[in-house]
Amino acid sequence: MQQVEEIHSSHAGSGVVRAFKAAAPQTLPVFAGYLVLGLGYGIYVQSLGLPVWLPMLMGTVVYGGSLEFVLASLLLGSFSPVSAFLMALMIQARHLFYGLAMLERYKGYGLRSVYMIFAMSDETFSITCSAEPPEGVERGWFMFFITLLDQFYWVASAGLGAVVGSVLPFSTEGVDFVMTAMFVVIFLNQWEKEKQHYSGLIGLAVPLVCLFLFGSGSFLIPSMVCILVLLIVLRKPIERADGLPAEKEDVQ
């Protein structure tokens, strides 16, 4: 009996390792983007005169990307929790739509699901919504390690930037192009995987229309709503065009 338990434990452990090895290459584009932007964030926080440990703390507890840049400046102002809440809701509202899209994909993994919901970022969503684990790799651990590695990259890069910023002065102007380039790479990778490109074309066309209608300051939320509605309405035709059963379930 003990030998059986040891064999089962060893098999489970090797499965976790395989999942980590499969997930790590998927996160390399995020690592490249977070390294530069995280360094810039850490340096920016230092330029405000805040403690060197604060970027790592916010990256661990908040993990909100652009929200963290705003919170750094809010910490220097007067205490206004309502304003801070509304600001955070406005900046991160797009994650409501990410969550709706990942309800089925994140279901049934226990505490791993709780962590993956907390640590979902734009970049993690972009990978986990399209990446498929290799054969023999459990999907839950695969997505868990993608999420964990992405957050680790951000926290480590922000901490490194804070340390460097405390020693040397830097200008962060222009570093934001890295994230745009990373999303282009992820989009092209997903485009190549699809047999049809309806979802990609919807993702390109809808934001352009909303940008024209609502302007650059207000187009994001309408774009997300329209994309979500169109993908729901056109789900069955898109799945048929991609050669999938219309009611395909994610077999774990």
Side-chain angles (χ1 to χ4, degrees):
M1 184 66 178
Q2 184 178 358
Q3 290 180 341
V4 173
E5 291 179 354
E6 289 178 354
I7 292 174
H8 182 269
S9 176
S10 175
H11 178 72
S14 62
V16 172
V17 173
R18 286 199 303 271
F20 178 84
K21 290 181 177 179
Q26 299 286 338
T27 65
L28 290 179
V30 179
F31 170 72
Y34 277 6
L35 179 62
V36 177
L37 197 62
L39 284 170
Y41 169 64
I43 294 169
Y44 170 70
V45 172
Q46 275 297 290
S47 71
L48 298 177
L50 294 169
V52 69
W53 46 263
L54 189 62
M56 294 186 69
L57 177 63
M58 288 208 291
T60 302
V61 177
V62 179
Y63 191 42
S66 54
L67 176 61
E68 292 180 49
F69 281 87
V70 176
L71 288 179
S73 59
L74 288 178
L75 289 174
L76 299 177
S78 58
F79 181 66
S80 179
V82 175
S83 297
F85 171 78
L86 293 175
M87 179 71 71
L89 181 62
M90 181 178 67
I91 294 174
Q92 301 296 95
R94 65 190 184 280
H95 285 232
L96 294 172
F97 303 100
Y98 295 168
L100 290 173
M102 301 299 284
L103 279 175
E104 291 298 323
R105 212 169 176 87
Y106 279 1
K107 184 186 296 183
Y109 298 119
L111 292 177
R112 285 176 292 172
S113 296
V114 175
Y115 171 70
M116 289 189 292
I117 291 169
F118 159 75
M120 180 188 290
S121 64
D122 298 345
E123 298 75 29
T124 300
F125 171 78
S126 298
I127 297 175
T128 54
C129 73
S130 59
E132 292 293 332
E135 185 176 352
V137 173
E138 200 256 322
R139 183 185 297 276
W141 283 115
F142 177 73
M143 294 192 299
F144 172 81
F145 282 123
I146 287 175
T147 307
L148 181 65
L149 285 169
D150 286 351
Q151 185 175 18
F152 172 76
Y153 298 151
W154 176 258
V155 173
S157 299
L160 180 61
V163 172
V164 173
S166 66
V167 178
L168 299 173
F170 277 95
S171 171
T172 60
E173 184 178 358
V175 299
D176 53 343
F177 82 96
V178 175
M179 302 309 292
T180 303
M182 187 196 69
F183 277 117
V184 170
V185 172
I186 292 174
F187 172 79
L188 291 175
N189 182 55
Q190 188 170 354
W191 180 278
E192 291 178 351
K193 289 181 178 179
E194 291 181 331
K195 294 180 181 179
Q196 49 75 30
H197 302 297
Y198 299 136
S199 55
L201 292 172
I202 290 172
L204 288 173
V206 170
L208 289 175
V209 173
C210 291
L211 178 63
F212 175 77
L213 294 176
F214 300 101
S216 60
S218 306
F219 81 101
L220 185 57
I221 300 302
S223 298
M224 291 291 188
V225 173
C226 292
I227 290 173
L228 180 63
V229 170
L230 285 173
L231 290 179
I232 291 174
V233 171
L234 300 175
R235 175 186 173 186
K236 291 182 179 180
I238 290 175
E239 288 179 342
R240 282 197 295 267
D242 209 25
L244 299 173
E247 299 296 331
K248 179 182 177 182
E249 296 182 357
D250 189 15
V251 179
Q252 305 301 334

